[in-house]
Amino acid sequence: MCTRLAILILMFKEQMVYQASGNGLNLTFTPEELLSNKIVPNTTSSGGRNWLELITGCFQGLPSECPVQLWDFSHGGSDIDAALLPPHRNTTVQMVDQVRLWRDYAADLLPRPEGKTLTTWWTGINDCTHISNNISITDNDAYLDADIEAYFRAVGTTARHGLRTHLFLTAPPVYRSPFAVKVRTGAEGYKKMLDSFNQKLTARMVKYARDNPSQLILSFDASSVFLDILDHPNHFGFNDTTTFCIECEDQEHRFWHTEEHPTEHVHRILAKAVEKYLRNPDFVY
């Protein structure tokens, strides 16, 4: 599958590589601001480059000048919908608002050639974390169902505005991260929540694909890639999968850059796996 343009709508807890989606206090931008906004190198949550930068080769400067364009509307710390989970910072742009910003201020400006545009979606960690830590939520299963429906309403919005090829990634197993000890339900409860999210995501992808046969739906199991590394660290060149160190020079042999974000080394492995999948994808039907 040849992808000439990648439009990123969201990415799991990823720090924006440029400020296209503004912030929660200023949910607007002008055409000039969008088209002149540059990707700042090595400012992702990995401390270096992330998987989409590695796939596209778009590491810095104007997205329009990259060999494969990367337009990033994701926002670090976001959940899916503020109507379900309020932003934990007043500057956070929730996913539904990221899509609205793209629709209102970017959809008519950015190229999206048919058959050469891939929209990527990677979310779920923040929602699972905030649901797990919210003692006022008594029915987690129903909350996840509502969350997934909000997710796919946003997907539908992008499709109605010309984005018709979608790649969904499963939420990774951050219950294996140093951050898991901070989750109220503990690592086992956190695992149950993330597994449930991924199961519901997969089922909803199938329904969406059947309801929208003119769209191309792709699914990549990012969780399995993470688990393979965590279960066989030596095979991939890691000697630490349990602690994190933001300032350490030896990031190459560490899995975790922050307490819940992987290093660039993990992103490189993920990028290669996604590229391999895209060369011979299994479409969701």
Side-chain angles (χ1 to χ4, degrees):
M1 179 178 181
C2 180
T3 303
R4 292 290 301 159
L5 172 69
I7 299 179
L8 176 65
I9 302 301
L10 67 135
M11 187 161 49
F12 107 95
K13 284 182 67 70
E14 191 62 40
Q15 180 178 337
M16 290 188 300
V17 291
Y18 72 112
Q19 302 294 322
S21 60
N23 61 63
L25 300 177
N26 181 24
L27 294 177
T28 63
F29 49 83
T30 67
E32 292 75 18
E33 288 172 330
L34 173 64
L35 297 176
S36 65
N37 215 327
K38 296 181 179 180
I39 295 174
V40 180
N42 299 320
T43 56
T44 75
S45 63
S46 75
R49 300 169 295 182
N50 66 34
W51 65 288
L52 273 175
E53 291 180 325
L54 291 159
I55 287 174
T56 60
C58 200
F59 304 122
Q60 62 182 343
L62 295 174
S64 59
E65 295 179 354
C66 290
V68 177
Q69 294 183 36
L70 171 62
W71 296 92
D72 184 353
F73 290 86
S74 66
H75 200 285
S78 65
D79 300 301
I80 291 171
D81 190 350
L84 294 169
L85 293 167
H88 68 288
R89 297 189 187 95
N90 63 1
T91 56
T92 300
V93 182
Q94 303 291 65
M95 193 198 82
V96 167
D97 291 320
Q98 295 165 22
V99 171
R100 181 178 63 79
L101 284 166
W102 171 82
R103 180 197 66 193
D104 292 349
Y105 299 103
D108 293 335
L109 289 172
L110 300 182
R112 50 181 188 277
E114 187 74 23
K116 296 183 179 181
T117 302
L118 178 67
T119 307
T120 60
W121 306 82
W122 197 9
T123 191
I125 289 179
N126 290 321
D127 296 77
C128 290
T129 302
H130 297 151
I131 292 172
S132 297
N133 285 337
N134 192 329
I135 60 174
S136 69
I137 297 176
T138 57
D139 190 339
N140 291 345
D141 196 58
Y143 230 86
L144 281 180
D145 286 338
D147 218 29
I148 292 291
E149 287 307 306
Y151 190 163
F152 279 84
R153 284 195 296 272
V155 175
T157 296
T158 65
R160 288 190 295 275
H161 290 80
L163 301 182
R164 306 182 68 79
T165 301
H166 304 274
L167 170 65
F168 297 90
L169 280 71
T170 56
V174 286
Y175 58 85
R176 297 275 295 268
S177 74
F179 176 75
V181 298
K182 295 184 177 180
V183 179
R184 183 178 62 89
T185 56
E188 282 303 312
Y190 200 21
K191 178 182 185 301
K192 182 178 179 181
M193 178 72 72
L194 286 159
D195 287 347
S196 181
F197 179 91
N198 284 335
Q199 290 164 7
K200 291 176 183 294
L201 172 64
T202 300
R204 192 61 180 83
M205 272 190 286
V206 171
K207 183 180 187 304
Y208 185 86
R210 290 174 178 171
D211 291 344
N212 299 275
S214 65
Q215 298 180 42
L216 295 178
I217 308 302
L218 302 94
S219 174
F220 183 81
D221 190 1
S223 181
S224 290
V225 173
F226 275 53
L227 287 172
D228 192 25
I229 302 170
L230 290 167
D231 290 341
H232 310 94
N234 293 336
H235 176 74
F236 294 95
F238 293 91
N239 58 28
D240 189 329
T241 60
T242 59
T243 67
F244 71 97
C245 183
I246 297 174
E247 302 298 332
C248 291
E249 292 184 5
D250 184 21
Q251 294 286 314
E252 189 65 19
H253 298 95
R254 289 181 172 274
F255 189 96
W256 301 106
H257 173 62
T258 69
E259 59 185 354
E260 76 261 65
H261 295 119
T263 59
E264 182 182 311
H265 187 178
V266 178
H267 279 270
R268 287 200 301 271
I269 296 170
L270 177 64
K272 289 179 181 178
V274 173
E275 282 185 299
K276 181 179 179 180
Y277 168 77
L278 290 176
R279 284 194 290 269
N280 187 28
D282 293 323
F283 294 102
V284 178
Y285 297 103

